[in-house]
Amino acid sequence: MKLHAICATLAAAALSLQAARAADKPETELGKQMEAANDALKAMKKETDPAKGAALAREVEAALVKSLGEVPSTLEKTPEPEKAKALANYRTLIAKTYVTVSQIEEAYLANDLEKVKTLSESLRPDKKEGHEKYKPKDEK
């Protein structure tokens, strides 16, 4: 009986600590857009309805367009000219992702689910690179 109470107390403490840490981090506009894009990408992987899949692709595209003008927090204190180079690389990764997601939208509209799958898998390397370079370490 005491063991259950101790476990419950530890679990509650861990959840409280996690909530407190989350509250300490201000959510950035870039973070919001990346979260929206990621949620839609996850939903796209499961979607077999062409119209719904294309709509999800457009959600990702919209989030990517909004994120283009943002500066990743990891670059805020980077000195020039390194910052300019990194921002150009960041925008290139976002643009490449946008092109691929647009191709996914086209594949959905053509009802070519095999192509959707192939293109979706091709997004992984750029996503990994972007997260390694531009996502804060405490958010990985």
Side-chain angles (χ1 to χ4, degrees), residues 11 27 43 53 59 89-90 110 117 132:
E27 190 171 15
E59 285 181 36
N89 177 257
Y90 161 77
K117 182 179 177 184
E132 285 175 359

Side-chain angles (χ1 to χ4, degrees), residues 104-122:
I104 291 171
E105 179 185 4
E106 288 181 79
Y108 266 119
L109 294 172
N111 201 19
D112 188 347
L113 298 181
E114 192 59 40
K115 188 171 183 180
V116 167
K117 182 179 177 184
T118 302
L119 288 166
S120 294
E121 290 171 1
S122 76

Side-chain angles (χ1 to χ4, degrees), residues 69-136:
E70 299 297 322
V71 175
S73 62
T74 55
L75 298 180
E76 288 175 352
K77 295 179 181 177
T78 304
E80 294 295 343
E82 292 84 17
K83 183 176 184 176
K85 290 178 186 177
L87 281 171
N89 177 257
Y90 161 77
R91 287 190 301 270
T92 299
L93 288 171
I94 295 293
K96 284 172 59 178
T97 302
Y98 184 92
V99 168
T100 303
V101 173
S102 294
Q103 292 170 338
I104 291 171
E105 179 185 4
E106 288 181 79
Y108 266 119
L109 294 172
N111 201 19
D112 188 347
L113 298 181
E114 192 59 40
K115 188 171 183 180
V116 167
K117 182 179 177 184
T118 302
L119 288 166
S120 294
E121 290 171 1
S122 76
L123 289 170
R124 286 186 183 152
D126 287 340
K127 180 179 178 181
K128 183 178 179 180
E129 180 185 348
H131 285 182
E132 285 175 359
K133 288 182 175 181
Y134 306 113
K135 190 171 184 179

Side-chain angles (χ1 to χ4, degrees), residues 54-72:
L56 287 166
R58 287 188 293 275
E59 285 181 36
V60 176
E61 292 165 353
L64 292 172
V65 166
K66 290 178 184 176
S67 69
L68 266 174
E70 299 297 322
V71 175

